[in-house]
Amino acid sequence: MSNLQLRVISAIVLAIVTLGLTWIGGLPFRLLCAGMSAVIFYEWSRMSRQAGAPALGFLPEALIIVFICALVAGLGASWLLPLVVVIVAATAVAASVRKVGQWEASGLAYAAVSGLSLALLRDGDRSGLVAILFLFAVVWATDIFAYFVGRAVGGPKLAPSISPGKTRSGALGGAVGAVVAGLVLAAVAGAGNLPLLGLVALVLSIVSQAGDLFESWVKRRHGCKDSGTLIPGHGGVMDRVDGLVAAAFALYVIGWISATADHPAQGLFPV
């Protein structure tokens, strides 16, 4: 089986599983978010520890387990947000005392915020379902349109020192595609504030592409081509969700501003 075939099959399986658990919501979706956080932290730690720097023993692993248990238990933002602050601060202080750098604290923050944002966005109502589907539509359209427009048009590179394959034309095409996909999803779902959601889709597309570049920078910083090998034909989980988790955090913050920390989707998608 060719690498392209593996990529297609893996993408289809991942999409089916992800959409199915998103539709169900509740504990199954929180388990998906918890598993994603765990794998992201594992892949981040694996990359950062390759540099030969001394690690913090099992402290970061113990703290990410605490966070995962809290996430699966269904705790709300009033518990999860302070917990993330405490565990990241504890890891950062331990790293400062032992003079081992802050990569593990950064990885813990990245993994925890990723799972937290998605879990709290989904919540348990229809607004949460529409919010996650809107997020998926925007991020997936960004990736697809950026790839095909970039290949068709070419032109100046977006960030050649970080990700040589990305072009400015692809970034623009991805943003346009994201706005269209987001508006179509919102219209089908019956959301009424389409001009605002079009602007949100544009912001999420930009953040998604920035998240992709950030993960590329982290891999390049540690001399890794892929974050892992878990997904056949794709590499690691971080390679697949880098843009998604960045956009999820941005959408969570926007929703928090417009509604509440526990129910961020209701401010943007009152359906």
Side-chain angles (χ1 to χ4, degrees):
M1 186 177 296
S2 69
N3 187 63
L4 178 60
Q5 290 174 317
L6 281 174
R7 287 179 65 88
V8 172
I9 293 173
S10 297
I12 293 173
V13 171
L14 285 172
I16 291 173
V17 172
T18 301
L19 290 172
L21 293 176
T22 300
W23 183 268
I24 296 170
L27 178 59
F29 187 76
R30 286 223 173 195
L31 286 171
L32 173 66
C33 296
M36 185 188 68
S37 291
V39 177
I40 286 175
F41 180 72
Y42 166 76
E43 291 180 348
W44 181 291
S45 299
R46 173 181 165 272
M47 286 192 296
S48 62
R49 290 170 183 173
Q50 280 185 344
L56 289 174
F58 291 105
L59 176 63
E61 283 81 358
L63 293 177
I64 194 68
I65 290 173
V66 170
F67 167 77
I68 288 171
C69 290
L71 191 67
V72 172
L75 297 184
S78 59
W79 287 95
L80 290 175
L81 290 170
L83 177 61
V84 171
V85 172
V86 169
I87 63 177
V88 172
T91 306
V93 170
S96 296
V97 170
R98 298 186 60 178
K99 297 181 173 58
V100 297
Q102 295 296 339
W103 281 104
E104 298 201 51
S106 300
L108 192 58
Y110 185 73
V113 168
S114 299
L116 178 150
S117 299
L118 286 165
L120 293 178
L121 274 171
R122 176 59 181 92
D123 200 17
D125 54 19
R126 187 167 184 266
S127 293
L129 174 61
V130 174
I132 294 293
L133 294 179
F134 177 84
L135 175 69
F136 288 164
V138 169
V139 174
W140 292 349
T142 296
D143 290 343
I144 293 170
F145 279 83
Y147 176 77
F148 285 107
V149 172
R151 285 180 63 89
V153 178
K157 301 298 183 181
L158 180 63
S161 62
I162 299 175
S163 185
K166 292 180 173 57
T167 61
R168 296 176 188 175
S169 62
L172 180 60
V176 172
V179 172
V180 172
L183 287 176
V184 169
L185 187 285
V188 170
N193 48 346
L194 294 184
L196 173 61
L197 292 178
L199 178 60
V200 171
L202 176 60
V203 171
L204 295 185
S205 179
I206 294 171
V207 172
S208 172
Q209 296 186 61
D212 194 340
L213 289 174
F214 171 72
E215 199 250 356
S216 296
W217 174 80
V218 171
K219 290 190 295 184
R220 188 172 291 271
R221 172 66 175 76
H222 295 292
C224 297
K225 182 178 182 296
D226 296 314
S227 65
T229 58
L230 184 63
I231 306 175
H234 289 273
V237 170
M238 279 180 62
D239 295 320
R240 289 293 84 211
V241 303
D242 46 10
L244 176 67
V245 296
F249 178 62
L251 184 59
Y252 175 72
V253 172
I254 294 170
W256 183 356
I257 293 171
S258 61
T260 67
D262 277 307
H263 307 287
Q266 292 180 3
L268 290 171
F269 303 97
V271 295

